[in-house]
């Protein structure tokens, strides 16, 4: 079976079909209990549990590894299966149904940047596509391949060294395949932290974050991985590209900006210098209940526009508050937190909330509940899928003045496209800016068994149209992959797409890198 | 004579040979007084004052304006002279000597984006180069042309409309030719501010800031113009490029990042949506004296690494403190300020300074003095040039651990290259980051009349080598233009340069836009 090195240095099995650790998945009984206690009251489900396939059945590989670096390659069916898709709803449900039509012919685990160079050279020679793979948590079809060529999943998780931790300059040199927990563990002895916690933190890598412009769970201020980049090292089929390590530069267009968000199409990010910071000693937080959702939205806007930059500023709508923070009073909840020297500013933010009808909790107990739910959510998601539900998320960012219409349009579109027009659609803000929020919608609806992907794709299309029509970006932090491409193609200026194509021809003239993603 | 529209809606003459308003330049008597009172004690000068040329003598233009938009073009010799160079030392001294060998054949003042399109079309047809020009304050040869083709200086100052001020989303739509004061004046009635004050603020434009990635005078946090960009509109010879206006997006490589810092080589920025903020009601500031410069440097590092983000955090070395803040005690001065909700954090920063041997002033009086000196500095610079001195600045950014060696190397290189090995070299930090400072050096040395440019070019080369050899960027915020190109070519990965060339071929296939700048 597939085995990955866990951050705690013990061997532990990752799920090949679903989220995270295999042993954390809800078993059949737990799924049934979830159905009885939490779902049956409000969702029409039949109670049956889609079984986990015993062993994946795949077509034989069409490639034979090059003898010179044979040990880096594997054709193990479970590893190939685990690298066939990312971890979107449509990925998990396809895996559960055993639909693994286009698995990678080989999975390659380079141990050095030189291995990456050799793999790209070999792939060019044999006409194979190469899809870079970090932790494989893409939810946008970023790590699968939909073309006809033989293909290699280039799993960078063995480029897993944390290099110099530079205490003088608050920076760390790190290889692309380092997972979130391993990086943070390496920083602990130095009293430092990257402070970048996407929901996938445990199972995603530095390289994946950089390639997809991931956003951490801090709601404001420096939170996107872009904000932490000092310098990158990228291997392209034409050679390496390196940027200068300086704290700031105005020397022409940014080299890093070309590769941040390039999703493996222009090169393979192998190493980065990232800015880190001292672990905050002070923290303060609370949750604020709002009877009127619109006033809660206005409060978040007022907090940001007053110049306050809370580390946490998540607005949960009443259903989110019920599902994820145990709040059953039908009120929205704003989770507010400040860290480090700005800790004393919490009182200012609470005052702004009070001006908008919000009542702060007397304890900050909600937040732990919510954070646990946040990290457990993908496992629960997998159980709901096995119970026959569609469970997926959609996210965007828009200006404040667009939000009301976008919010209403997304909910209406999801419900109109859902079977029997029944869908639960919840919304939370994951990030907030002075000029607008990043709303994150969860959509839950019963699926017809076997037709889950087709139904979801219809909902996704309807919702994406609603987002685009209301001035939202097609993705704030889930990246583009293949699933967002049709809408990105509308939102990205065609001349800029031409520039990206020219960059691609310059760096990857044979077009082997992640073909079909991004453009 | 040349006349520009001043922010106060009165007509006022800009200097064609030197900085800013013609009537603010020091006259001959003022230059002589400056020589007697401030210079003679410590600089070997002869006391003569280089006269301001009466009228520039130029070769006749090699282009005839297209009849269809004749009124947008001018061949007025003073306007052509004023558009020949930027405002670097070498520009001013060349103008004073009447060395205007390669003036633009025509200056074009488009009134609309459509005029820009028509101008680019016409330039392509007649084989003319086009150099976009905002306020013309480049100090790196960014607005001159050194090639053989006939050329047009495309002055965007009549694209001067401030459009919608969006109070809900704290943003403003603004045309590229709007000058700093005009933009701030348009925001005042809304209680908003862009809060971007480069030293050239009064005489530089939004488009110039964007094209050169300018940095404002706030020392930390959002201060580079990049930080304020919501969306851009750029005219390229192949058509317009527009980015989506959203508060944040992770949808692939950033469109804006390609044009920020492109210095007019890829397109003409004609409009932007910029993020603005409420005018801060609270401010607090002080200055801190440090007997030991190294401890002052360490204090700035400690402040930044403690998570504090002062709006002002300028460290002046003892000579800077004497020249610009009137401090004659031989101590370094750190000018510290906080604004808005973080105002109470000044005390924390002062405590850190005390830990490093710093003594805070009892009044904050120094800062006004320093700010006035900051804004007056370019006029004084012009007077010093007329008195026969070389006066120029060089800036960079490096990690903290590189700073000591870089600082020493720059001073040594400047002095070694200066005539008779005598140069005053001062240093201040203009910006500070958790991972390093942005040091800004002023170099003053006597010149041999008539050989000023050659002497300066030698000093500049020596200093630039010292910066590059010590891990500094060739420019933190002065941009690249033509003068920094040899060192940028070393610091920018050649494959990324190839990508920029591919972008250039895509957007400007005939290569008419600012040829010779940036790459």
């Amino acid at each position: 079976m597939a085995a990955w090195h866990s951050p705690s240095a013990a061997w532990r099995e990752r799920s090949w079909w679903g989220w995270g650790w295999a042993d954390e998945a809800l078993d059949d009984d737990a799924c049934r209990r979830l159905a009885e206690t939490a779902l049956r009251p409000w969702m029409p489900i039949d109670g049956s549990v889609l079984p986990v396939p015993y062993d994946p059945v795949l077509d034989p590989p069409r490639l034979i590894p090059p003898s010179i670096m044979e040990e880096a390659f594997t054709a193990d069916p479970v590893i190939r299966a685990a690298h066939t898709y990312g971890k979107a709803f449509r990925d998990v449900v396809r895996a559960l149904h055993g639909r693994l039509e286009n698995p990678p012919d080989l999975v390659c685990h380079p141990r050095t940047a030189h291995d990456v160079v050799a793999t790209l050279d070999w792939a060019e020679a044999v006409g194979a596509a190469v899809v870079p793979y970090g932790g494989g948590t893409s939810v946008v079809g970023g790590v699968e391949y939909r073309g006809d060529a033989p293909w290699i999943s280039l799993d960078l998780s063995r480029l897993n060294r944390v290099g110099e931790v530079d205490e003088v300059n608050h920076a760390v040199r790190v290889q692309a395949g380092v997972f979130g927990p391993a990086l943070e563990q390496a920083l602990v002895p130095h009293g430092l932290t990257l402070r970048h916690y996407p929901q996938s933190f445990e199972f995603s890598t530095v390289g994946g974050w950089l390639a997809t412009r991931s956003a951490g769970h801090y709601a404001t201020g420096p939170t996107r991985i872009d904000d932490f980049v000092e310098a990158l090292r990228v291997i392209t089929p034409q050679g390496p590209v390196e940027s200068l390590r300086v704290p700031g530069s105005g020397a022409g267009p940014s080299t890093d900006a070309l590769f941040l968000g390039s999703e493996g199409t222009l090169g393979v990010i192998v190493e980065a210098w990232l800015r880190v910071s001292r672990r905050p000693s002070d923290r303060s937080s609370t949750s604020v209940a709002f009877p009127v959702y619109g006033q809660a939205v206005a409060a978040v806007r007022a907090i940001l526009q007053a110049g306050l930059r809370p580390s946490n500023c998540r607005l949960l709508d009443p259903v989110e508050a019920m599902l994820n923070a145990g709040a059953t009073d039908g009120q929205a909840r704003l989770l507010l937190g400040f860290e480090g020297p700005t800790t004393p500013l919490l009182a200012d933010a609470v005052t702004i909330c009070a001006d908008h009808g919000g009542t702060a909790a007397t304890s900050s107990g909600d937040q732990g509940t919510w954070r646990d739910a946040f990290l457990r959510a993908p496992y629960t998601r997998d159980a709901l899928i096995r119970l026959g539900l569609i469970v997926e998320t959609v996210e965007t960012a828009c200006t404040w003045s667009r939000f009301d219409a976008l919010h209403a349009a997304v909910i209406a579109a999801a419900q109109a496209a859902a079977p029997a027009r029944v869908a639960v659609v919840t919304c939370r803000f994951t990030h907030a800016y002075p000029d607008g929020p990043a709303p994150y919608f969860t959509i839950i609806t019963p699926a017809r068994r076997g037709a889950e992907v087709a139904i979801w794709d219809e909902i996704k299309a309807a919702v994406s149209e609603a987002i685009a029509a209301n001035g939202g970006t097609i993705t704030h932090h889930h990246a583009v992959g293949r699933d967002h491409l049709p809408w990105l193609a509308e939102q990205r200026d065609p001349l800029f797409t031409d520039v990206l194509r020219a960059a691609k021809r310059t760096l990857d003239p044979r077009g082997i890198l992640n073909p079909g993603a991004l453009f």
Side-chain angles (χ1 to χ4, degrees), chain A:
Chain A
M1 294 292 287
W4 279 259
H5 201 240
S6 90
S8 59
W11 289 92
R12 193 174 171 193
E13 192 184 313
R14 282 272 296 275
S15 172
W16 70 262
W17 60 271
W19 186 259
W21 303 116
D23 57 25
E24 296 266 351
L26 280 70
D27 65 19
D28 291 10
D29 282 350
C31 287
R32 279 185 208 103
R33 279 198 302 277
L34 182 70
E36 292 309 316
T37 58
L39 292 179
R40 194 136 15 232
W42 56 281
M43 260 301 163
I45 53 166
D46 62 19
S48 68
V49 182
L50 195 61
V52 173
Y54 184 69
D55 256 342
V57 179
L58 307 179
D59 288 341
R62 295 163 292 178
L63 292 169
I64 299 166
S67 56
I68 196 164
M69 51 184 301
E70 205 174 355
E71 71 289 353
F73 285 87
T74 179
D76 179 299
V78 178
I79 296 178
R80 288 174 63 211
H83 288 75
T84 301
Y85 300 131
K87 298 297 181 193
F89 162 76
R90 64 198 308 286
D91 301 332
V92 174
V93 79
R94 283 185 294 174
L96 284 168
H97 283 301
R99 287 173 50 192
L100 300 160
E101 287 96 358
N102 198 15
D105 294 276
L106 296 171
V107 176
C108 177
H109 289 90
R111 289 197 172 274
T112 64
H114 181 80
D115 284 352
V116 174
V117 173
T119 304
L120 298 187
D121 286 350
W122 179 70
E124 280 194 323
V126 300
V130 175
V131 178
Y133 184 103
T137 59
S138 172
V139 291
V140 293
V143 294
E144 68 178 275
Y145 175 60
R146 298 178 187 166
D148 296 326
W151 70 287
I152 300 154
S153 181
L154 186 66
D155 182 325
L156 297 152
S157 61
R158 287 181 196 165
L159 287 179
N160 60 359
R161 285 192 298 284
V162 178
E164 187 185 350
V165 179
D166 180 345
E167 292 190 15
V168 175
N169 301 302
H170 278 200
V172 60
R173 183 176 177 176
V174 58
Q175 286 190 311
V178 173
F179 284 83
L183 176 56
E184 287 297 331
Q185 277 185 17
L187 295 172
V188 164
H190 304 273
L192 297 169
T193 174
L194 180 63
R195 223 176 160 273
H196 182 74
Y197 302 102
Q199 190 170 23
S200 62
F201 173 72
E202 202 176 351
F203 304 106
S204 56
T205 62
V206 167
W209 302 339
L210 294 163
T212 60
R213 302 183 71 191
S214 73
H217 86 255
Y218 291 100
T220 75
T223 187
R224 194 180 284 285
I225 194 68
D226 309 33
D227 299 326
F228 304 104
V229 176
E230 252 188 357
L232 295 181
R233 182 172 158 80
V234 184
I235 305 289
T236 81
Q238 293 297 93
V241 178
E242 261 181 279
S243 56
L244 190 70
R245 186 192 164 204
V246 287
S249 179
S254 162
T255 305
D256 295 336
L258 178 71
F259 294 100
L260 292 168
S262 63
E263 302 192 17
T265 61
L266 301 178
V268 180
I269 297 166
V270 292
E271 191 179 283
W273 273 102
L274 300 177
R275 295 185 179 98
V276 293
S277 55
R278 216 162 271 150
R279 293 177 175 272
S281 51
D282 300 323
R283 277 200 182 86
S284 75
S285 63
T286 190
S287 78
V288 185
F290 287 89
V292 182
Y293 183 61
Q295 283 206 283
V297 173
V300 175
R301 176 164 84 90
I303 288 168
L304 269 289
Q305 295 186 349
L308 295 166
R309 295 292 179 269
S311 54
N312 197 2
C313 188
R314 268 170 207 269
L315 176 59
L316 313 183
D317 74 9
V319 182
E320 285 268 341
M322 180 179 69
L323 296 179
N324 295 313
T328 54
D329 56 8
Q331 297 195 43
R333 282 292 185 294
L334 177 62
L335 307 180
L336 262 183
F338 285 81
E339 286 188 0
T342 63
T343 303
L345 303 180
L346 179 65
D348 297 352
V350 167
T351 301
I352 291 173
C353 290
D355 293 344
H356 291 81
T359 308
T362 48
S363 83
S364 61
D366 276 346
Q367 294 212 22
T369 311
W370 176 81
R371 194 169 296 126
D372 292 344
F374 177 66
L375 292 174
R376 291 287 312 158
Y379 295 110
T380 311
R381 190 264 323 244
D382 289 356
L384 298 177
I385 295 172
R386 296 182 59 207
L387 289 164
L389 295 180
I390 286 170
V391 192
E392 188 53 293
T393 61
V394 170
E395 42 81 63
T396 184
C398 62
T399 54
W400 291 109
S401 49
R402 295 279 205 168
F403 173 69
D404 287 350
L406 182 143
H407 181 249
V410 166
I411 293 173
Q415 291 178 334
R421 297 180 170 268
V422 177
V424 175
V425 184
T426 68
C427 180
R428 65 172 182 259
F429 291 173
T430 57
H431 302 81
Y433 301 88
D435 48 343
Y440 186 98
F441 297 91
T442 301
I443 299 169
I444 308 179
T445 185
R448 220 166 44 251
R449 304 270 185 175
E452 297 95 337
V453 172
I455 294 169
W456 169 249
D457 285 351
E458 265 184 51
I459 297 172
K460 172 78 176 176
V463 166
S464 298
E465 291 298 335
I467 286 173
N470 286 281
T473 171
I474 192 59
T475 177
H476 173 266
H477 63 270
H478 277 175
V480 177
R482 290 159 179 84
D483 296 347
H484 283 149
L485 193 50
W487 294 278
L488 180 66
E490 295 291 312
Q491 297 198 328
R492 186 174 56 197
D493 196 286
L495 261 181
F496 184 66
T497 302
D498 290 347
V499 169
L500 289 180
R501 288 212 179 91
K504 172 96 172 162
R505 280 192 303 273
T506 304
L507 300 173
D508 177 24
R510 301 201 190 177
I512 62 166
L513 282 173
N514 210 3
L518 204 52
F519 55 100

